[in-house]
Amino acid sequence: QKEVEQNSGPLSVPEGAIASLNCTYSDRGSQSFFWYRQYSGKSPELIMSIYSNGDKEDGRFTAQLNKASQYVSLLIRDSQPSDSATYLCAARTPSGGSYIPTFGRGTSLIVHP
Amino acid sequence: DTAVSQTPKYLVTQMGNDKSIKCEQNLGHDTMYWYKQDSKKFLKIMFSYNNKELIINETVPNRFSPKSPDKAHLNLHINSLELGDSAVYFCASSQALGVRGGGYTFGSGTRLTVV
């Protein structure tokens, strides 16, 4: 069964610190990876997508992909209380000629002032 | 202008009833999805349509029937509702089916409560 695993947390960091969120996936055929942020009672919102090994930076966010280790991470620099949310990792995994979007269970991040 | 809109936002109904949730996207995406998010926030795919064709049908009771009249619309009909169907249902869309098909844009969700 194709799985995306995340630590449920909560991960608690002080304001201004770097928050590090991690994700592993089981299907080596997975090619595309995404990080979503979901505030309580709201819908998931795409933050980053990454397709190739290495780092991808967008503002305070950096996504990292290591296909050999089947590992994806998200770093949030200068964390703000407004970053407090659940972060969902997702992978697009191949299945019967199509691709199934598979989500992890999410990591709850708390940024305290 | 809302990219992915679904209605209703809240739905409270009795066991055994039949209900529908509607979804529309104005992004020009080819692929649309239905997800179920349970009380523990696990987001699980139920169905996916690509240009009106069903391409993903995960293990979902056949009481759930999706319908896509065109590529901009994907509706979900649920027969004989059960208590365990209570959850938030999200509609989503994405640009393409392939490896680099882009991320998924979600609707605001429908909170279904079966009493």
Side-chain angles (χ1 to χ4, degrees), chain A:
Chain A
Q1 184 172 349
K2 305 172 198 300
E3 290 185 345
V4 174
E5 300 281 351
Q6 294 180 257
N7 187 326
S8 63
L11 173 66
S12 181
V13 300
E15 184 175 355
I18 295 176
S20 178
L21 303 161
N22 304 314
C23 169
T24 59
Y25 58 95
S26 63
D27 191 327
R28 283 199 173 274
S30 300
Q31 295 290 330
S32 305
F33 305 90
F34 309 92
W35 282 101
Y36 283 81
R37 177 176 62 200
Q38 186 175 24
Y39 293 112
S40 181
K42 300 294 185 183
S43 57
E45 171 193 13
L46 181 65
I47 300 175
M48 296 280 290
S49 59
I50 187 165
Y51 308 109
S52 305
N53 275 332
D55 295 0
K56 179 181 177 183
E57 187 175 319
D58 184 0
R60 295 186 297 113
F61 299 98
T62 299
Q64 299 174 318
L65 174 60
N66 183 326
K67 289 187 178 181
S69 302
Q70 295 176 237
Y71 176 89
V72 192
S73 66
L74 179 70
L75 300 178
I76 306 174
R77 287 181 298 283
D78 188 24
S79 296
Q80 301 297 309
S82 59
D83 294 326
S84 299
T86 296
Y87 289 80
L88 302 168
C89 175
R92 195 190 294 269
T93 57
S95 177
S98 180
Y99 288 87
I100 294 179
T102 304
F103 282 78
R105 290 181 177 268
T107 297
S108 175
L109 174 66
I110 300 171
V111 181
H112 53 87

Side-chain angles (χ1 to χ4, degrees), chain B:
Chain B
D1 221 11
T2 305
V4 181
S5 59
Q6 55 182 108
T7 55
K9 193 167 174 63
Y10 299 97
L11 191 50
V12 181
T13 188
Q14 290 187 328
M15 276 174 44
N17 283 350
D18 303 338
K19 289 294 178 186
S20 292
I21 308 171
K22 295 187 175 185
C23 179
E24 176 181 2
Q25 55 97 2
N26 63 6
L27 297 167
H29 288 171
D30 289 325
T31 311
M32 296 185 72
Y33 311 82
W34 276 111
Y35 286 86
K36 178 181 180 181
Q37 188 169 47
D38 60 23
S39 57
K40 295 185 178 179
K41 306 299 184 188
F42 183 42
L43 198 60
K44 183 168 172 53
I45 189 165
M46 301 172 68
F47 302 103
S48 175
Y49 271 75
N50 183 60
N51 205 7
K52 301 194 296 177
E53 181 187 349
L54 179 66
I55 53 168
I56 296 172
N57 184 351
E58 291 294 282
T59 308
V60 176
N62 58 16
R63 298 181 295 104
F64 291 79
S65 53
K67 279 191 172 50
S68 181
D70 56 59
K71 76 173 193 176
H73 295 83
L74 179 61
N75 304 322
L76 183 65
H77 188 76
I78 316 171
N79 289 327
S80 304
L81 278 154
E82 301 177 356
L83 293 176
D85 298 332
S86 296
V88 179
Y89 292 83
F90 285 104
C91 176
S93 69
S94 69
Q95 189 160 11
L97 203 53
V99 169
R100 297 202 177 196
Y104 311 96
T105 303
F106 284 83
S108 58
T110 296
R111 182 173 294 276
L112 172 65
T113 304
V114 182
V115 296

